[in-house]
Amino acid sequence: MDSALRTIGSGIINFLRDVGGVSIMFARVVGRLGELPRTARQTFLQMEQIGTGSIPLVLITSIFVGAVAAVQAAYQFQDYVPMVFLGTVVGKSVILELGPVLTALVVGGRVTSSIAAELGTMRVTEQLDAMEILAIDPVRYLVMPRIVAAIVMFPVLVIFSDLLAILGGMFVAHVSLGVNTATFVEGLRLFFYVDDVTSSVIKAATFGGIVALMGCYNGFNTYGGAQGVGRAAMQAVVSSCILILITNYFLATVLFRLIFYKGT
Amino acid sequence: MLRIVCEDVWKSFVRKSVLRGVDLEIEPGETIVIMGRSGCGKSVLLKHIVGLLQPDRGRILIDGEDITTLSRKHLYILRMRFGMVFQGAALFDSLSVGENVGLALREHTNKTDEEINRIVEQRLEMVGLEGVSDKHPAELSGGMKKRVGFARAIAMDPECVLYDEPTTGLDPIMADVINNLIIKLATELSITSVVVTHDLASAYKVADRIAMLHDGKIIFLGTPGQLRSTDDPYVRQFIEGSAVGPAVIGSEE
């Protein structure tokens, strides 16, 4: 009984410590945003690594996600729903959910583990201490550029992903489902709202911030050599994925209500 | 030159008490060596001096100012007066040697690239490394990395340099090169030096005074000559390198 209570208690303490630690790190980043121009070089480097470096991954996942969305939708439609709505379903599902969430999960895994491993290695090899001794704030020099770069680049990647997924769906519809491109595009345009794209971009920027923040927090709190670096990378991926899925629900609820009420 | 005073410094990690009331005064311009067995808290004490760790109890006074109460901003201002050489050099992997040495200058001064490059080359020359500015840390040997760490530590003309195990892992010849470098920097730049080591040869060579840390406290403080002739059984066991004596094996690891 004692042991169970101790486990639960330490779990709660660890959770609260992590929530506090992440909040403090985020607050320190926000507090130093005015110094962003000083870290412009590092920010552009991170934008290149997070954005350009993730394009091949986004390319492959998005095309196949769009393709499978078209196949599944066509299967569900059977003879009950006209195929003109295939483009509508693929477009809506990709722009509202599949694009931002899947891109965040797939690219996020790549980005957050890479950040956690890099900063974790810097922690265990005392490079972060060396930076402190040089009177350079690691939050300004290392964390801020990564968070800003992810917040800027994730929306770009998600828009790219949305386009590729729709093209993937369109291609499969034409080649194997007998729905020509004109019909697909007609369906796509039928219920297309710019607000949907805006909500997709808002989601992507939020997910980008979560991914970079989790990578930085876990990297900064690494201990215990190579094993610790591996643990930090794993914790960064797990916490990012969980937070993305939870935040997605709340964002979807809020954004859907905003769009819905605006539309009626 | 800085005067550093540690007053009744206590520090524990989880369930292990590492420092248990350390009192130590470091005079301006002197080279003091802090010795002790592995894991006895030498590096922990060093990190307290620059505010990388906060004591559970006690004060660290730098020129009379208690750094345990300083804000982050003021701590950074104070740290510009320090340099530190790390055990594993702690060079930034992603930067070249020149960028490592010049990073603080680039961040804290308005010097032009030409001026910074000139200072970087001058510092590298002081540690006997010319023409390596464009190399990356991965391309350097252990001794070269340590010397780049020296160059980086003195780039901002510090008043005090802290050395964490500067000769550990080096061959005897390179260790002596490093010892000479510590003496050279202390005399040429007139800086206060705090060296943490368990290398007796190094301590005897560079120290004005030697402090021995044992069981979380300073149990000896004196000149190298006084160390050689002390009767303290713990200190004698350490300097004789004997497994037999009052210090229990495994008690500090």
Side-chain angles (χ1 to χ4, degrees):
Chain A
M1 184 65 182
D2 262 10
S3 149
L5 283 174
R6 199 173 293 127
T7 308
I8 294 167
S10 72
I12 292 171
I13 290 169
N14 288 343
F15 174 74
L16 292 175
R17 188 198 56 211
D18 288 341
V19 170
V22 170
S23 308
I24 289 168
M25 182 175 267
F26 185 66
R28 281 180 64 190
V29 169
V30 172
R32 306 211 66 168
L33 274 177
E35 296 174 57
L36 191 60
R38 282 180 70 193
T39 52
R41 184 171 162 264
Q42 288 94 308
T43 308
F44 283 122
L45 275 174
Q46 289 303 320
M47 284 168 75
E48 190 190 344
Q49 279 185 20
I50 293 170
T52 319
S54 300
I55 285 177
L57 192 61
V58 171
L59 190 82
I60 293 166
T61 52
S62 303
I63 288 174
F64 283 97
V65 161
V68 83
V71 170
Q72 290 285 5
Y75 171 70
Q76 299 292 326
F77 285 4
Q78 301 268 348
D79 293 327
Y80 307 107
V81 181
M83 279 300 171
V84 71
F85 292 113
L86 190 62
T88 313
V89 169
V90 171
K92 281 279 180 192
S93 55
V94 161
I95 293 171
L96 286 174
E97 284 302 323
L98 295 176
V101 176
L102 275 179
T103 305
L105 290 175
V106 175
V107 176
R110 173 188 177 272
V111 170
T112 199
S113 59
S114 149
I115 292 175
E118 186 183 355
L119 298 186
T121 305
M122 290 185 78
R123 168 64 73 204
V124 298
T125 55
E126 295 187 305
Q127 291 178 54
L128 294 181
D129 285 345
M131 196 165 273
E132 287 273 358
I133 295 287
L134 295 175
I136 299 167
D137 182 2
V139 169
R140 175 183 66 77
Y141 194 83
L142 297 169
V143 178
M144 189 165 66
R146 282 164 174 77
I147 290 180
V148 171
I151 288 174
V152 173
M153 291 316 291
F154 265 57
V156 176
L157 287 172
V158 164
I159 289 173
F160 183 58
S161 163
D162 289 351
L163 281 171
L164 287 171
I166 289 168
L167 286 174
M170 196 189 292
F171 178 75
V172 165
H174 182 74
V175 171
S176 66
L177 302 173
V179 180
N180 64 41
T181 306
T183 309
F184 189 92
V185 172
E186 189 191 340
L188 188 66
R189 294 175 64 179
L190 213 52
F191 293 100
F192 178 82
Y193 301 124
V194 175
D195 284 344
D196 290 350
V197 180
T198 310
S199 80
S200 184
V201 166
I202 292 170
K203 275 185 177 184
T206 311
F207 297 156
I210 288 171
V211 161
L213 189 60
M214 287 300 113
C216 292
Y217 176 73
N218 285 288
F220 261 54
N221 289 287
T222 302
Y223 60 92
Q227 199 180 15
V229 174
R231 189 173 46 232
M234 181 197 68
Q235 282 172 345
V237 173
V238 171
S239 54
S240 292
C241 289
I242 291 171
L243 276 176
I244 285 168
L245 294 173
I246 294 172
T247 312
N248 182 48
Y249 167 74
F250 288 107
L251 276 178
T253 310
V254 172
L255 293 171
F256 176 73
R257 281 189 181 159
L258 285 176
I259 293 164
F260 179 76
Y261 285 124
K262 206 172 145 186
T264 55
Chain B
M1 285 188 283
L2 292 171
R3 186 166 195 277
I4 302 163
V5 179
C6 303
E7 266 183 19
D8 193 29
V9 176
W10 291 69
K11 183 70 180 178
S12 297
F13 294 103
V14 194
R15 292 192 188 98
K16 193 185 177 198
S17 184
V18 179
L19 303 178
R20 297 193 228 182
V22 170
D23 288 299
L24 181 64
E25 290 188 20
I26 301 166
E27 298 300 330
E30 79 167 330
T31 298
I32 190 163
V33 171
I34 301 170
M35 301 193 75
R37 291 175 58 202
S38 298
C40 74
K42 305 182 294 290
S43 299
V44 170
L45 180 60
L46 205 62
K47 287 183 177 178
H48 276 84
I49 292 174
V50 275
L52 283 178
L53 290 174
Q54 287 286 318
D56 299 335
R57 209 169 89 191
R59 300 195 304 166
I60 310 283
L61 305 171
I62 308 290
D63 282 345
E65 190 174 26
D66 184 3
I67 67 162
T68 61
T69 58
L70 287 182
S71 67
R72 187 180 293 273
K73 186 182 166 191
H74 287 99
L75 200 55
Y76 280 147
I77 293 169
L78 181 87
R79 280 185 190 149
M80 287 192 215
R81 300 167 69 187
F82 283 90
M84 185 163 174
V85 178
F86 289 83
Q87 188 175 350
L91 301 180
F92 306 120
D93 304 324
S94 55
L95 303 181
S96 69
V97 166
E99 286 169 332
N100 262 282
V101 178
L103 184 62
L105 292 164
R106 228 171 275 282
E107 285 290 317
H108 302 305
T109 68
N110 294 321
K111 294 185 191 305
T112 61
D113 283 354
E114 288 76 29
E115 285 175 304
I116 290 171
N117 290 340
R118 190 178 47 75
I119 296 169
V120 166
E121 285 305 326
Q122 191 188 25
R123 294 297 187 252
L124 287 171
E125 201 182 314
M126 273 186 87
V127 299
L129 287 174
E130 287 121 35
V132 296
S133 281
D134 295 330
K135 287 188 186 293
H136 273 74
E139 299 172 74
L140 306 178
S141 69
M144 287 168 89
K145 282 183 191 169
K146 278 259 164 78
R147 284 187 283 163
V148 174
F150 273 66
R152 185 177 67 183
I154 56 170
M156 290 279 286
D157 290 322
E159 296 167 60
C160 175
V161 177
L162 311 176
Y163 302 89
D164 190 5
E165 307 272 11
T167 56
T168 301
L170 299 178
D171 65 74
I173 297 168
M174 184 50 72
D176 200 48
V177 170
I178 296 292
N179 289 335
N180 289 336
L181 212 48
I182 294 172
I183 296 167
K184 183 181 170 188
L185 297 183
T187 48
E188 284 185 12
L189 305 176
S190 302
I191 52 177
T192 308
S193 307
V194 185
V195 184
V196 155
T197 186
H198 47 232
D199 177 352
L200 268 173
S202 174
Y204 285 140
K205 182 156 188 174
V206 304
D208 294 323
R209 287 194 303 159
I210 297 174
M212 176 76 78
L213 193 61
H214 177 73
D215 206 16
K217 289 180 180 169
I218 301 289
I219 57 162
F220 171 87
L221 183 61
T223 62
Q226 288 169 328
L227 183 78
R228 282 192 186 95
S229 57
T230 183
D231 292 330
D232 187 293
Y234 287 99
V235 180
R236 288 239 60 86
Q237 185 186 355
F238 186 86
I239 59 178
E240 285 162 10
S242 170
V244 182
V248 182
I249 307 303
S251 66
E252 292 186 326
E253 290 291 348

